[in-house]
Amino acid sequence: MVKVLEDPALDQTQRRTEIRAIALEAFDVGEAARRALGPHWPKRSPSERQEFIGLFQGLLERGYLARIGEYGGESVQYVGERIEGEYATVLLREVLKSEEPQSAGF
């Protein structure tokens, strides 16, 4: 994603399209939607579930893709992971451009 964000040949619309494709490949929207509804998920019909997944995906896209223009060179640092049964948590740290070590100009 960083390569897409930093590619000067892409305009904002192209960046959004590329980022959306990458995110949909890496992120299980259906599973995230199911977890967001929690105990209410089993009570929904298949068509209600599909509708919710679409609405949830739209919410995520509007929330995150709208902020693409705010990217300022930040990076993500892998900190660790925790596995509990069939679930895993990946720990990341956002590194702001101002926090990166600066090279000395000797």
Side-chain angles (χ1 to χ4, degrees):
M1 283 199 193
V2 173
K3 287 181 182 180
V4 172
L5 290 168
E6 293 179 344
D7 187 343
L10 299 176
D11 64 26
Q12 210 60 330
T13 302
Q14 292 168 318
R15 278 192 185 92
R16 286 175 195 244
T17 301
E18 298 254 349
I19 294 292
R20 182 179 186 276
I22 293 168
L24 288 176
E25 184 177 316
F27 186 70
D28 188 343
V29 177
E31 179 64 15
R34 183 185 70 77
R35 290 178 183 229
L37 276 186
H40 303 286
W41 183 260
K43 299 172 188 171
R44 305 284 54 97
S45 69
S47 63
E48 288 174 321
R49 291 176 184 175
Q50 284 306 117
E51 180 182 5
F52 183 76
I53 290 170
L55 293 170
F56 188 74
Q57 180 176 332
L59 174 69
L60 292 174
E61 288 179 11
R62 285 188 305 279
Y64 288 100
L65 291 178
R67 300 188 68 183
I68 285 178
E70 297 175 22
Y71 175 71
E74 299 83 5
S75 64
V76 176
Q77 183 179 57
Y78 172 79
V79 177
E81 61 189 38
R82 183 175 54 242
I83 300 173
E84 297 174 11
E86 63 183 70
Y87 299 101
T89 302
V90 177
L91 305 171
L92 304 173
R93 178 179 179 269
E94 179 182 14
V95 180
L96 303 177
K97 195 74 167 167
S98 61
E99 294 176 359
E100 293 179 356
Q102 302 297 314
S103 58
F106 298 116

